[in-house]
Amino acid sequence: MSQHLTKLQTRQASRLDPDRLFPAEPTLRSLARDLYETVRDLPIVSPHGHTDPRWYAENESFPDPAQLFITPDHYVFRMLCSQGIDLDSLGVPRADGSRAETDGRKIWRIFAENYHLFRGTPSRLWIDHSFEQVFGWTGRLSAETADEAYDHIADCLTRPDFRPRALFERFNIEVIATTESPLDDLKWHAAIRDSGWTGRVVTAYRPDAVVDPEFDGFAANVERFGELAGEDATTWQGYLAAHRERRAFFKSFGATSSDHGHPTARTENLSPADAEALFQKALKGTCSAEEADAFRGHMLTEMARMSLEDRLVLQIHAGSHRNHSGPVMATFGRDKGFDIPTRTDYVRALKPLLDAVGMEKDLSVILFTLDETAYARELAPLAGVYPSLKLGPAWWFYDSPEGMRRFRELTTETAGFYNTVGFNDDTRAFCSIPARHDVSRRVDCAYLATLVTTGRLDEDEAFEVAQDLAYRLAKQAYRL
Amino acid sequence: MSQHLTKLQTRQASRLDPDRLFPAEPTLRSLARDLYETVRDLPIVSPHGHTDPRWYAENESFPDPAQLFITPDHYVFRMLCSQGIDLDSLGVPRADGSRAETDGRKIWRIFAENYHLFRGTPSRLWIDHSFEQVFGWTGRLSAETADEAYDHIADCLTRPDFRPRALFERFNIEVIATTESPLDDLKWHAAIRDSGWTGRVVTAYRPDAVVDPEFDGFAANVERFGELAGEDATTWQGYLAAHRERRAFFKSFGATSSDHGHPTARTENLSPADAEALFQKALKGTCSAEEADAFRGHMLTEMARMSLEDRLVLQIHAGSHRNHSGPVMATFGRDKGFDIPTRTDYVRALKPLLDAVGMEKDLSVILFTLDETAYARELAPLAGVYPSLKLGPAWWFYDSPEGMRRFRELTTETAGFYNTVGFNDDTRAFCSIPARHDVSRRVDCAYLATLVTTGRLDEDEAFEVAQDLAYRLAKQAYRL
Amino acid sequence: MSQHLTKLQTRQASRLDPDRLFPAEPTLRSLARDLYETVRDLPIVSPHGHTDPRWYAENESFPDPAQLFITPDHYVFRMLCSQGIDLDSLGVPRADGSRAETDGRKIWRIFAENYHLFRGTPSRLWIDHSFEQVFGWTGRLSAETADEAYDHIADCLTRPDFRPRALFERFNIEVIATTESPLDDLKWHAAIRDSGWTGRVVTAYRPDAVVDPEFDGFAANVERFGELAGEDATTWQGYLAAHRERRAFFKSFGATSSDHGHPTARTENLSPADAEALFQKALKGTCSAEEADAFRGHMLTEMARMSLEDRLVLQIHAGSHRNHSGPVMATFGRDKGFDIPTRTDYVRALKPLLDAVGMEKDLSVILFTLDETAYARELAPLAGVYPSLKLGPAWWFYDSPEGMRRFRELTTETAGFYNTVGFNDDTRAFCSIPARHDVSRRVDCAYLATLVTTGRLDEDEAFEVAQDLAYRLAKQAYRL
């Protein structure tokens, strides 16, 4: 990235503080900076995220700045919504696919006029970083600079070096995982492979649509799932066989993990007969909420058993109350910023799975939480003793400087560093990827500098751990 | 305040650290100090509190120092009680109105002898600040200095410049809200208005006595409520009309908000028929605990609907287990320091109200919590997306330097600054008001200095946000 | 300790940072150091722990380094287990008493090769401190130094000045409490007393085996309990009398406290008839889980009543899900690192006991939690008002620098310092005792330095509080 930026930066001085996110105290800051210098340019390993494989397959230009920065980024439009700005006026797609506002510049101006709302948020950090490091624009967004920024970015987007593959290479991404449903034919992944491009883009197996009885169209999904797998997925054994088949298919496109977004961390280890009975009720749509939850919970244990066979790493992203607003769900559909975290229990919830397979050394289950209160109390103690468990990084609302700091402070003393798995950017905001990894590396180096300066870690160890957290652990934990 | 203090301070040097609550690191401290200098003398906007309007109406001298600092301040007598000092010996009124000890000097001496108990507490900060800034006494309270302090303060209290209106003006209070029941005739507010004094004292509508079926004398309260409103409040429509009428009456005395102190944040949006049926059970005293809770929850939604009509801001103070000690409740009655926070759910609890009116831009619902664990997990995400929701400042046990710091660290990254509403002192301890606002301004400036110094906010923005947090947001959020 | 160490340290420079755990900022650090200098050499008061009285009675040499540092320390073997190292290969005893690996050097090498796992954990702090301060070995443990460390420590262990009593004296332990079941005949305590050795080792009354209906062999335990007490403990009155008798017996061996390790903080205050009925069901083994829990809860109130008679301090250690892994429990038995904290409610749970005896000034109930979220929300407010309640120090997974810091930050503002009870090491790892107290003293001094430097406490007060926290409060709260 350096050559490109050098050229751009001759135009205008950087607005990014080179010491951002390092402690203010000079001794700490100096050591944090030294640590960071050794990891800042490491390749990006992105083992879990939501970028669109079509981008890499087609390598078309991204559309206008509003569609890059605002419309698809729920961090951005939720904050604007919270201050009374209509989702319609931001061009957020409605459930029927229509968009009330399609003029990118109009949308951008609303964003720019309200940029002060993002003060103190990670969005501000990511966006400022993207503007400067990706696009070379070093102004501060505001009503006054809205058009200048828009024109600058729009102009960049027309250029070949701002197409997805060029950015992928400029971002120094060693490998990135996308997330697909078992119902996906992975055609974009096939196209990437067939294109001869050498960027490493792998998929991940996210079977919510066929393991959650409450998912829209569950029965139809299972039927289609069986067709894709060449199995009769309407029988319990055929259904399990279809999972094995589709997992293998996903592995053939590089998948090293599955991912499971459940409302709770509940697991079950039912008898085959009980599991089959629930499955049949689920197909008939007669599961109670409790039974649906039990079935999802049982499927985590089934997935863990399959992981023991095929070595896919199992990720659990639990604890979100999805689509909280009834009216917004009705008008705009899913994923419109109204997913709100809830309290999550892990100790009782995970016991059935852990009693079944938790002591297996070859199993790797990565836990994510939206309930920080569980880190020190439940998750670090669990990950700090079960060989199969690891802790995923600070997620979603906690993918932020304070959230990451709390993650380390709340988990390290009990689980250490080596039961954690490095960083996930977990984003569909492509241009924010370097910024997010940069934030993570800075916060971890600040934490390590604090440990060294307060006599809790030797300095040579801190340099080694910095490499682990920024690069090695992600590759190792995700078997990449 | 400055001229008065200059005179007093020639007598004795200040014991207050001018840099208190600023970070120790010199760069941070210097910037925090610069920020604070621009907000320290801003007028006080106190949009929610419990001072007695009679003080301003009658403008009589406050009684002795013990009745000013100890007897009415549950922060003070609860700490003394925790170390085995009888509430009786502190002159705390019993439920029957009697006081076992009425000698102010005796009570004061107990307080002074035990002043070390308050080390590290916000009470210590507020009281030391009041002693010095309000009364010009710069000693440290102890058994040795008890009488000196008592005599000094008692002497001040006899002087005209220590009467309520003089202090109000010296404290530079631009506006203060008191809190009254709909059963209150607001005669003291009327007296203030009629007196020609220009101090701005407004009321707030706190209808617990007529919306909580478990409130002492609920049915009688509702009857009286109807009489005051000129409505038959024993019918559901008459009851709602009475609320509208009393809200309008409160507005005529400056009210811009209602306030609701519920044990949980539960809301309901019942059908009119179901609501009416519950209301009739409530009047008959036959509600189960669950039904009483549902009725309270429904009334929050009714109040929100009325807010859409009359623009009163709706405050929810949820999560306290009131009067925890049975024996203390029996002997001393309510509000004797035995209110203990409990876990509170907001995500499910608020959904009925939010589904009904949460997307309304003209509605303003301000949420307070005693369960800090909900800030990052539930409240910041909710306030960070619903246009009607704002976060109230750190409340009660959290109205403290560490509590305020955690509030910012736990909410800003997700909700930003502009979904918060500035500071509330929420106190009946009149002399602590300047101290409380000062603590808040200092802690916020320390936080802002940290953001700037770690590259998360530009310096010019920090100065603007400091004004917002100390002054503008409170006026704006409370429509004052 | 100083003379011994001076001799050892001429061999090799210290690896321990003399300023460890003090803030990095120089002003804070300097004051923290000054405070620490005044408490570092205070005698150790250890009012709650799990060292074996047999050590002091027999004064035999400790066995090999692995059996001192690894096999009995669940902090150590749980972390190794979490990274896939078999408990068997670490020589952890199986439920049947057998040990798969008995070669201390082999076990030690595994530990040494994996010592990086402990980076950032308190175990690392304690072990490094023990190596250097207790054994005078200043290397860093690793595969390379494994044998050197093993040989050094093994050699020390053969020497008379490394026997338990010599270490006890070198550690400057003024008094230490062990923890025994009422079924214990306290023969080792008798042997200590009869030996003429002047080290003060007291017992504590831990009646889980006879108050928990779900404890293995409950009915038989109660029968044996009655025999030891000379009472018919199968009747309710005889059972209570047996408690009184055994408590008195424990007091004759110095006990000043009882201790209760319950899964929750539930208390009950049943009528005598109901309590007796539950007790009879418990003896018959017919209690439901709910009834067993209610009986345990009621027994806390009975114990509190007895405490009012005999002045034993009552400790409640609540909130652990014991033996979480079914397979590990089956193979290795209890206490193998699989105890995981859970959410704990205190507000409702403690109300029955507090309504019964909570306002008693002569009662001292010390609360411990594994649910940090309860500190600011529930425990500090409760301890900050009830005269009978005190807060125990940060426990178990929180007995760590960050855990201790959070404890102070979350409790002091509401409960002050004087509703806390100083430090507990709560350990069976004898050599870690000085290290643990040292960590606590350092963290508290760092906290006090922060209060002073930010204008929240006067400097002279900080020196006084430092003494309180390091020494006086433990003696006072535990009546030692």
Side-chain angles (χ1 to χ4, degrees):
Chain A
M1 201 185 303
S2 54
Q3 201 189 350
H4 179 90
L5 282 175
T6 307
K7 204 168 38 173
L8 288 168
Q9 283 172 349
T10 57
R11 293 214 308 255
Q12 196 171 0
S14 170
R15 282 187 61 253
L16 300 176
D17 183 341
D19 285 331
R20 64 191 180 280
L21 305 179
F22 298 154
E25 199 284 319
T27 308
L28 289 169
R29 176 160 286 198
S30 170
L31 179 54
R33 192 191 294 131
D34 290 349
L35 289 161
Y36 172 70
E37 286 302 322
T38 67
V39 298
R40 64 174 297 167
D41 295 325
L42 287 174
I44 285 176
V45 174
S46 176
H48 173 68
H50 298 275
T51 59
D52 189 341
R54 184 172 181 172
W55 298 338
Y56 315 116
E58 298 198 316
N59 201 33
E60 296 291 336
S61 292
F62 287 105
D64 68 73
Q67 285 187 67
L68 190 61
F69 277 101
I70 304 167
T71 320
D73 187 340
H74 61 78
Y75 284 88
V76 169
F77 64 68
R78 67 190 299 284
M79 180 63 90
L80 296 170
C81 176
S82 78
Q83 290 280 313
I85 296 161
D86 279 326
L87 294 179
D88 271 339
S89 69
L90 298 168
V92 173
R94 292 184 157 233
D96 62 11
S98 68
R99 292 176 64 205
E101 179 59 67
T102 55
D103 181 336
R105 190 178 296 271
K106 271 196 192 168
I107 296 168
W108 186 263
R109 283 176 182 163
I110 296 173
F111 175 47
E113 284 159 14
N114 289 282
Y115 198 56
H116 65 283
L117 299 179
F118 297 93
R119 288 171 180 165
T121 70
S123 294
R124 167 69 180 266
L125 279 174
W126 301 328
I127 295 168
D128 279 4
H129 186 281
S130 299
F131 285 171
E132 180 164 329
Q133 298 278 312
V134 181
F135 294 99
W137 187 74
T138 56
R140 186 167 80 197
L141 195 63
S142 67
E144 289 70 36
T145 62
D147 283 350
E148 177 195 321
Y150 190 87
D151 292 337
H152 181 99
I153 295 168
D155 176 63
C156 286
L157 293 178
T158 63
R159 290 157 46 185
D161 52 332
F162 285 87
R163 293 199 176 189
R165 291 185 185 176
L167 289 177
F168 184 102
E169 286 154 13
R170 177 141 72 94
F171 293 169
N172 197 16
I173 296 174
E174 182 174 314
V175 55
I176 197 167
T178 66
T179 303
E180 273 81 38
S181 160
L183 303 179
D184 192 302
D185 59 11
L186 304 186
K187 73 176 170 189
W188 302 116
H189 281 276
I192 296 167
R193 187 169 62 184
D194 297 346
S195 74
W197 179 55
T198 56
R200 186 172 172 206
V201 180
V202 303
T203 184
Y205 188 73
R206 170 91 173 218
D208 298 1
V210 295
V211 302
D212 177 3
E214 296 178 327
F215 205 95
D216 273 357
F218 174 74
N221 294 343
V222 169
E223 195 164 345
R224 171 81 185 126
F225 177 57
E227 287 164 21
L228 286 166
E231 300 281 347
D232 177 5
T234 64
T235 71
W236 177 238
Q237 290 306 326
Y239 173 72
L240 294 178
H243 276 294
R244 283 190 199 93
E245 171 59 35
R246 293 303 283 167
R247 290 168 65 103
F249 179 70
F250 272 57
K251 281 186 71 173
S252 76
F253 287 96
T256 67
S257 66
S258 69
D259 181 32
H260 306 272
H262 288 198
T264 72
R266 176 173 180 175
T267 65
E268 290 291 345
N269 185 16
L270 305 174
S271 69
D274 287 350
E276 179 164 7
L278 268 191
F279 177 62
Q280 292 304 333
K281 288 187 87 165
L283 286 182
K284 292 191 192 103
T286 60
C287 276
S288 66
E290 156 61 23
E291 288 169 330
D293 203 46
F295 184 74
R296 286 190 295 264
H298 178 73
M299 284 310 297
L300 286 178
T301 304
E302 291 292 351
M303 291 288 116
R305 288 203 187 94
M306 291 184 198
S307 285
L308 273 171
E309 295 166 12
D310 65 17
R311 289 182 50 81
L312 289 189
V313 169
L314 189 157
Q315 300 172 91
I316 302 178
H317 284 88
S320 176
H321 186 300
R322 301 273 172 183
N323 311 305
H324 188 265
S325 168
V328 171
M329 179 64 180
T331 308
F332 290 94
R334 301 168 67 91
D335 299 328
K336 290 302 178 290
F338 285 82
D339 295 350
I340 310 290
T342 57
R343 277 203 297 260
T344 311
D345 163 75
Y346 295 89
V347 178
R348 286 174 192 79
L350 294 174
K351 187 168 164 47
L353 183 151
L354 291 172
D355 275 345
V357 291
M359 296 302 292
E360 296 287 348
K361 294 168 202 181
D362 292 334
L363 177 64
S364 184
V365 176
I366 301 178
L367 299 170
F368 294 81
T369 192
L370 292 172
D371 183 358
E372 288 187 315
T373 69
Y375 267 132
R377 185 183 58 218
E378 302 176 27
L379 290 170
L382 286 166
V385 71
Y386 279 99
S388 60
L389 290 185
K390 298 280 178 291
L391 296 183
W395 176 38
W396 201 338
F397 296 107
Y398 308 109
D399 177 16
S400 60
E402 298 293 339
M404 290 173 180
R405 177 182 59 76
R406 289 197 297 269
F407 171 75
R408 291 289 172 213
E409 290 180 358
L410 290 165
T411 65
T412 308
E413 294 186 321
T414 295
F417 291 109
Y418 297 98
N419 288 305
T420 66
V421 304
F423 183 64
N424 285 183
D425 54 72
D426 194 7
T427 191
R428 68 195 76 229
F430 191 51
C431 292
S432 75
I433 290 177
R436 288 169 190 255
H437 286 262
D438 187 66
V439 167
S440 171
R441 290 171 184 187
R442 287 172 180 272
V443 173
D444 282 342
C445 288
Y447 178 70
L448 291 168
T450 304
L451 291 188
V452 171
T453 309
T454 57
R456 287 181 269 178
L457 191 68
D458 292 344
E459 191 167 312
D460 65 313
E461 296 178 292
F463 280 90
E464 192 178 317
V465 176
Q467 298 278 322
D468 292 332
L469 302 183
Y471 180 73
R472 283 187 212 124
L473 282 173
K475 289 191 70 166
Q476 184 181 317
Y478 280 89
R479 298 168 176 170
L480 283 164
Chain B
M1 201 184 302
S2 54
Q3 200 189 351
H4 178 90
L5 282 175
T6 308
K7 204 167 40 174
L8 288 168
Q9 283 172 350
T10 56
R11 291 215 309 254
Q12 197 171 356
S14 171
R15 283 187 60 253
L16 300 176
D17 183 343
D19 286 331
R20 63 191 180 280
L21 305 179
F22 298 153
E25 200 283 319
T27 307
L28 289 170
R29 176 160 287 198
S30 169
L31 178 54
R33 192 191 295 131
D34 289 350
L35 288 162
Y36 172 71
E37 285 302 322
T38 67
V39 299
R40 67 175 295 169
D41 295 325
L42 287 175
I44 285 176
V45 174
S46 176
H48 173 70
H50 299 274
T51 59
D52 189 340
R54 184 173 180 173
W55 298 338
Y56 315 116
E58 299 197 315
N59 200 33
E60 295 291 335
S61 293
F62 287 104
D64 69 72
Q67 286 186 66
L68 191 60
F69 278 101
I70 305 167
T71 320
D73 186 341
H74 61 79
Y75 284 88
V76 169
F77 63 68
R78 67 191 299 283
M79 179 63 91
L80 296 169
C81 176
S82 80
Q83 289 281 312
I85 296 161
D86 280 325
L87 294 180
D88 270 341
S89 68
L90 297 170
V92 174
R94 292 184 156 232
D96 61 11
S98 68
R99 293 176 62 204
E101 179 58 68
T102 55
D103 182 336
R105 188 178 296 272
K106 271 197 190 167
I107 295 167
W108 187 265
R109 284 176 181 163
I110 295 173
F111 175 48
E113 284 159 15
N114 289 284
Y115 199 55
H116 65 284
L117 300 178
F118 296 92
R119 288 171 179 164
T121 70
S123 293
R124 167 68 180 268
L125 279 175
W126 300 329
I127 294 167
D128 279 5
H129 185 281
S130 299
F131 285 172
E132 181 164 328
Q133 297 279 313
V134 180
F135 293 99
W137 186 73
T138 56
R140 186 166 80 197
L141 196 62
S142 67
E144 290 70 37
T145 62
D147 283 350
E148 178 195 320
Y150 190 88
D151 292 337
H152 181 99
I153 294 168
D155 175 63
C156 287
L157 292 179
T158 64
R159 289 157 46 187
D161 51 332
F162 286 86
R163 294 202 174 184
R165 292 184 185 177
L167 289 177
F168 185 102
E169 286 155 12
R170 177 143 71 95
F171 293 169
N172 197 16
I173 296 174
E174 182 174 314
V175 55
I176 197 166
T178 66
T179 304
E180 272 82 39
S181 160
L183 304 179
D184 193 302
D185 58 11
L186 304 186
K187 73 177 170 187
W188 302 116
H189 282 275
I192 296 167
R193 187 168 62 185
D194 297 345
S195 74
W197 179 56
T198 57
R200 187 172 171 205
V201 179
V202 303
T203 184
Y205 188 73
R206 169 90 172 218
D208 297 1
V210 296
V211 303
D212 177 2
E214 296 177 328
F215 205 95
D216 273 357
F218 173 74
N221 294 343
V222 170
E223 195 165 346
R224 171 81 185 128
F225 177 56
E227 288 163 19
L228 286 166
E231 300 280 349
D232 177 5
T234 64
T235 71
W236 176 237
Q237 289 307 326
Y239 172 72
L240 294 178
H243 275 293
R244 282 190 199 95
E245 170 61 33
R246 294 305 283 168
R247 290 167 66 104
F249 180 69
F250 273 57
K251 281 186 73 174
S252 76
F253 287 95
T256 67
S257 67
S258 69
D259 181 33
H260 306 272
H262 288 197
T264 71
R266 175 173 181 176
T267 65
E268 290 291 345
N269 185 17
L270 304 174
S271 69
D274 288 350
E276 178 163 8
L278 268 191
F279 176 62
Q280 291 304 331
K281 287 186 88 165
L283 285 182
K284 292 189 192 103
T286 60
C287 277
S288 67
E290 156 60 22
E291 289 169 330
D293 203 47
F295 185 75
R296 285 189 297 262
H298 178 73
M299 284 309 298
L300 286 178
T301 304
E302 292 291 351
M303 291 288 117
R305 288 202 187 95
M306 291 185 199
S307 285
L308 274 170
E309 296 166 13
D310 65 16
R311 290 183 49 81
L312 289 189
V313 169
L314 190 157
Q315 302 173 88
I316 302 177
H317 284 88
S320 175
H321 187 300
R322 301 273 172 183
N323 311 305
H324 189 266
S325 169
V328 171
M329 179 65 178
T331 308
F332 290 94
R334 300 168 69 92
D335 299 328
K336 290 303 179 291
F338 285 81
D339 295 350
I340 310 289
T342 57
R343 275 203 298 260
T344 311
D345 163 75
Y346 295 89
V347 178
R348 286 174 192 82
L350 294 174
K351 187 167 164 45
L353 184 150
L354 292 171
D355 276 345
V357 292
M359 296 302 291
E360 296 285 349
K361 294 168 201 181
D362 292 334
L363 177 63
S364 183
V365 175
I366 302 177
L367 299 171
F368 294 81
T369 192
L370 291 172
D371 182 359
E372 287 186 317
T373 68
Y375 266 132
R377 185 183 58 218
E378 302 176 27
L379 290 170
L382 286 166
V385 71
Y386 279 100
S388 60
L389 290 185
K390 299 278 178 293
L391 297 182
W395 176 38
W396 200 339
F397 296 108
Y398 308 109
D399 178 15
S400 60
E402 299 292 339
M404 290 174 181
R405 176 181 60 76
R406 290 197 297 270
F407 171 75
R408 290 289 172 213
E409 290 181 357
L410 290 166
T411 65
T412 308
E413 294 186 322
T414 295
F417 291 109
Y418 297 98
N419 289 305
T420 65
V421 304
F423 182 65
N424 284 181
D425 53 72
D426 194 10
T427 191
R428 67 195 77 229
F430 191 51
C431 292
S432 75
I433 289 177
R436 288 169 190 253
H437 286 261
D438 187 66
V439 167
S440 171
R441 290 170 184 189
R442 288 172 179 272
V443 172
D444 281 342
C445 289
Y447 178 70
L448 291 169
T450 303
L451 292 187
V452 172
T453 309
T454 57
R456 287 181 269 178
L457 191 68
D458 292 345
E459 191 167 314
D460 65 314
E461 295 177 293
F463 280 90
E464 191 179 317
V465 176
Q467 298 278 322
D468 292 332
L469 302 183
Y471 180 73
R472 286 187 211 123
L473 283 173
K475 288 191 70 165
Q476 183 181 320
Y478 281 89
R479 299 168 176 172
L480 283 165
Chain C
M1 202 185 303
S2 55
Q3 201 190 349
H4 178 89
L5 282 175
T6 308
K7 204 169 38 172
L8 288 168
Q9 283 172 349
T10 57
R11 291 215 308 255
Q12 197 172 357
S14 171
R15 283 187 59 254
L16 300 176
D17 182 342
D19 286 331
R20 65 191 178 278
L21 304 179
F22 298 152
E25 199 284 320
T27 307
L28 289 171
R29 176 161 287 197
S30 169
L31 179 54
R33 191 190 295 131
D34 290 350
L35 289 162
Y36 172 70
E37 285 303 322
T38 67
V39 299
R40 66 175 296 168
D41 295 324
L42 287 174
I44 286 176
V45 174
S46 175
H48 173 69
H50 298 275
T51 60
D52 189 340
R54 184 173 180 172
W55 298 337
Y56 315 117
E58 298 198 316
N59 201 33
E60 296 291 336
S61 293
F62 286 105
D64 68 73
Q67 286 187 66
L68 191 60
F69 277 101
I70 304 167
T71 321
D73 186 341
H74 62 79
Y75 285 87
V76 169
F77 63 69
R78 67 190 298 284
M79 179 63 90
L80 297 169
C81 176
S82 78
Q83 289 281 312
I85 296 162
D86 279 327
L87 294 179
D88 271 339
S89 68
L90 297 170
V92 174
R94 291 184 154 232
D96 63 10
S98 68
R99 293 175 63 205
E101 179 58 68
T102 55
D103 182 337
R105 190 177 296 269
K106 272 196 189 167
I107 296 167
W108 187 263
R109 284 175 182 165
I110 295 174
F111 175 47
E113 284 159 14
N114 289 282
Y115 199 56
H116 64 284
L117 300 179
F118 296 93
R119 288 172 180 165
T121 71
S123 294
R124 166 69 179 266
L125 279 174
W126 301 329
I127 294 167
D128 279 4
H129 185 281
S130 298
F131 285 171
E132 180 164 328
Q133 297 279 311
V134 181
F135 294 99
W137 187 74
T138 56
R140 186 166 80 197
L141 196 63
S142 67
E144 289 71 37
T145 62
D147 283 350
E148 177 195 320
Y150 189 87
D151 291 337
H152 181 99
I153 295 167
D155 175 62
C156 286
L157 292 179
T158 64
R159 290 157 46 186
D161 51 332
F162 285 87
R163 294 202 175 186
R165 292 185 184 176
L167 289 177
F168 185 103
E169 287 155 11
R170 177 142 72 94
F171 293 169
N172 196 16
I173 297 174
E174 182 174 313
V175 55
I176 197 167
T178 66
T179 303
E180 272 81 39
S181 160
L183 303 179
D184 192 302
D185 58 10
L186 304 186
K187 72 176 170 189
W188 301 117
H189 281 275
I192 295 166
R193 186 169 63 185
D194 297 346
S195 74
W197 179 56
T198 56
R200 187 173 172 204
V201 179
V202 304
T203 184
Y205 188 72
R206 169 91 172 217
D208 298 2
V210 296
V211 302
D212 177 3
E214 296 179 326
F215 205 94
D216 273 358
F218 174 74
N221 295 343
V222 169
E223 195 165 347
R224 171 79 185 127
F225 177 56
E227 286 164 20
L228 286 166
E231 299 282 348
D232 178 4
T234 64
T235 71
W236 176 237
Q237 289 307 326
Y239 172 72
L240 294 179
H243 275 294
R244 282 189 200 94
E245 171 61 33
R246 292 304 283 168
R247 290 167 66 105
F249 180 69
F250 273 57
K251 281 187 73 175
S252 77
F253 286 95
T256 68
S257 67
S258 69
D259 180 33
H260 306 273
H262 289 197
T264 71
R266 176 173 182 176
T267 65
E268 291 291 346
N269 185 17
L270 305 174
S271 70
D274 287 350
E276 179 163 8
L278 268 191
F279 176 64
Q280 292 304 332
K281 287 186 89 166
L283 285 182
K284 291 190 191 103
T286 60
C287 276
S288 66
E290 156 61 22
E291 289 170 328
D293 203 47
F295 185 74
R296 286 189 296 263
H298 178 72
M299 284 309 297
L300 285 178
T301 304
E302 291 291 351
M303 291 287 118
R305 288 202 187 94
M306 290 184 199
S307 284
L308 274 171
E309 296 165 12
D310 65 17
R311 289 182 50 81
L312 289 189
V313 169
L314 189 156
Q315 300 171 89
I316 302 177
H317 284 87
S320 175
H321 187 300
R322 301 274 171 182
N323 311 305
H324 188 265
S325 169
V328 171
M329 179 64 179
T331 309
F332 290 95
R334 301 168 68 90
D335 300 329
K336 290 302 180 289
F338 286 82
D339 295 350
I340 310 291
T342 56
R343 275 204 297 261
T344 310
D345 162 76
Y346 295 90
V347 178
R348 286 173 193 81
L350 294 174
K351 186 168 165 45
L353 183 151
L354 291 172
D355 275 345
V357 293
M359 296 302 291
E360 297 285 348
K361 295 168 200 180
D362 293 334
L363 178 63
S364 184
V365 175
I366 301 177
L367 299 171
F368 294 81
T369 192
L370 292 172
D371 182 357
E372 286 186 317
T373 68
Y375 267 133
R377 185 183 58 218
E378 302 176 26
L379 291 170
L382 286 166
V385 72
Y386 279 100
S388 60
L389 290 185
K390 298 279 177 296
L391 297 183
W395 176 38
W396 201 339
F397 296 107
Y398 307 108
D399 178 15
S400 60
E402 299 292 339
M404 290 173 180
R405 176 181 60 76
R406 289 197 298 270
F407 171 75
R408 291 289 173 213
E409 290 181 357
L410 290 166
T411 65
T412 308
E413 294 186 321
T414 296
F417 292 109
Y418 297 98
N419 288 304
T420 65
V421 304
F423 183 64
N424 284 182
D425 54 71
D426 194 8
T427 192
R428 66 196 78 228
F430 191 50
C431 291
S432 75
I433 290 176
R436 288 168 189 255
H437 286 261
D438 187 66
V439 167
S440 170
R441 290 171 184 188
R442 287 173 179 272
V443 172
D444 281 343
C445 289
Y447 178 70
L448 291 169
T450 304
L451 291 188
V452 171
T453 309
T454 56
R456 287 181 270 177
L457 192 67
D458 292 344
E459 190 167 314
D460 64 313
E461 295 177 293
F463 280 90
E464 192 179 318
V465 176
Q467 298 277 323
D468 292 332
L469 302 183
Y471 180 74
R472 285 186 211 124
L473 281 172
K475 289 191 69 166
Q476 184 181 318
Y478 281 89
R479 299 169 175 170
L480 284 163

